[in-house]
Amino acid sequence: MSEVLVVDGLERSFEQGGARIDVLRGVNLSIAPGEIVALLGPSGSGKSTLLQAVGLLEGGFDGSIRLAGEEAAKLDNDGRTRLRRDSLGFVYQFHHLLPDFTAAENVVLPQLIKGAAPADAQARAWALLSALGLANRLHHRPSQLSGGEQQRVAVARALANKPPLVLADEPTGNLDEATADVVLAEFLKLVRGEGSAALVATHNERIALKMDRVVRLHDGVLE
Ligand SMILES: Nc1ncnc2c1ncn2[C@@H]1O[C@H](COP(=O)(O)OP(=O)(O)OP(=O)(O)O)[C@@H](O)[C@H]1O
Ligand SMILES: [Mg+2]
């Protein structure tokens, strides 16, 4: 089967007060279906910049990003939105859950947006949240959940539409170490069970070694 992600010669620079910072200087990366890749690198090395580019959240880069066989640069805004919706799930360091919706609703909504039948979307939300130990928190709003519970809801939401590729940027960065380890282990297990591929930026070397492959950003390229 062909790669779910192929990044080729990706370059990204920022102009700041007349100075130019070359953050990504020719990043090459391929991810196979179902492969879980850890993205390591010191603070400021460009992990989030790379995930934002791959997530089609920002333009302004040179090089090629092929996602699920489609070249991102060739797509217009609507095309990118469709590709993002059909091919990607996101988990951020700060979860960005919708505060006025319950845990279950936060996982149901992206499925409805993609056209799922409400009953199917609810069944899947229940299954995902139960797998993450939240069967008795379905109707809590984010403000009524602990940090680790909120992050689990964000994980369920990212997987709701069975994306071929999950992008996670420090998915447990705001949790204490013990909770972060548990949530990240659950995340990996669930991603594996779903057969999704993942690219996970993390500072945690120990957790990174539990993934299929580790890549490191250094001086703007992947080692
Ligand atoms: N919008 C921007 N404008 C100017 N510079 C930026 C912008 N976004 C990022 N940078 C710079 O790009 C570099 C890489 O930032 P990035 O957020 O990708 O690092 P990171 O590896 O995710 O770091 P961390 O581990 O701290 O999250 C930093 O030096 C940052 O200052
Ligand atoms: Mg970052």
Side-chain angles (χ1 to χ4, degrees), residues 205-223:
E205 296 257 351
R206 199 164 35 83
I207 292 277
L209 293 175
K210 292 186 180 161
M211 302 186 204
D212 300 325
R213 184 154 57 103
V214 177
V215 296
R216 287 169 203 274
L217 251 184
H218 187 71
D219 287 339
V221 296
L222 282 182
E223 315 186 312

Side-chain angles (χ1 to χ4, degrees), residues 14 16 23 42-49 203:
F14 295 106
Q16 195 55 265
V23 178
S43 181
S45 59
K47 301 181 297 297
S48 296
T49 303
H203 283 111

Side-chain angles (χ1 to χ4, degrees), residues 88-98 102-108 110 125 128-129 132 134 142 145-161 163 166-172 174-175 183 186-187 190-191:
L88 293 174
F90 296 91
V91 191
Y92 304 93
Q93 174 169 6
F94 300 100
H95 42 73
H96 300 300
L97 295 174
L98 298 170
T102 66
E105 287 164 348
N106 266 280
V107 183
V108 163
L128 285 168
L129 290 167
L132 291 162
L134 293 178
L145 295 168
S146 75
E149 288 168 347
Q150 292 174 44
Q151 205 61 0
R152 288 188 179 98
V153 176
V155 166
R157 179 186 55 183
L159 290 166
N161 284 327
V166 177
L167 301 175
D169 194 355
E170 304 279 357
T172 57
N174 61 333
L175 303 177
V183 173
E186 286 172 348
F187 168 69
L190 202 54
V191 169

Side-chain angles (χ1 to χ4, degrees), residues 71-164:
E71 177 58 56
K74 293 202 178 128
L75 298 172
D76 60 11
N77 224 350
D78 288 350
R80 280 195 300 275
T81 301
R82 170 187 52 74
L83 188 56
R84 203 160 46 226
R85 189 191 61 211
D86 291 347
S87 304
L88 293 174
F90 296 91
V91 191
Y92 304 93
Q93 174 169 6
F94 300 100
H95 42 73
H96 300 300
L97 295 174
L98 298 170
D100 296 333
F101 292 86
T102 66
E105 287 164 348
N106 266 280
V107 183
V108 163
L109 266 174
Q111 299 178 73
L112 297 184
I113 290 168
K114 202 182 164 186
D120 293 342
Q122 274 163 27
R124 178 149 175 83
W126 181 86
L128 285 168
L129 290 167
S130 299
L132 291 162
L134 293 178
N136 55 0
R137 295 287 187 280
L138 299 177
H139 307 301
H140 285 55
R141 288 175 209 282
S143 63
Q144 301 166 323
L145 295 168
S146 75
E149 288 168 347
Q150 292 174 44
Q151 205 61 0
R152 288 188 179 98
V153 176
V155 166
R157 179 186 55 183
L159 290 166
N161 284 327
K162 298 182 189 272

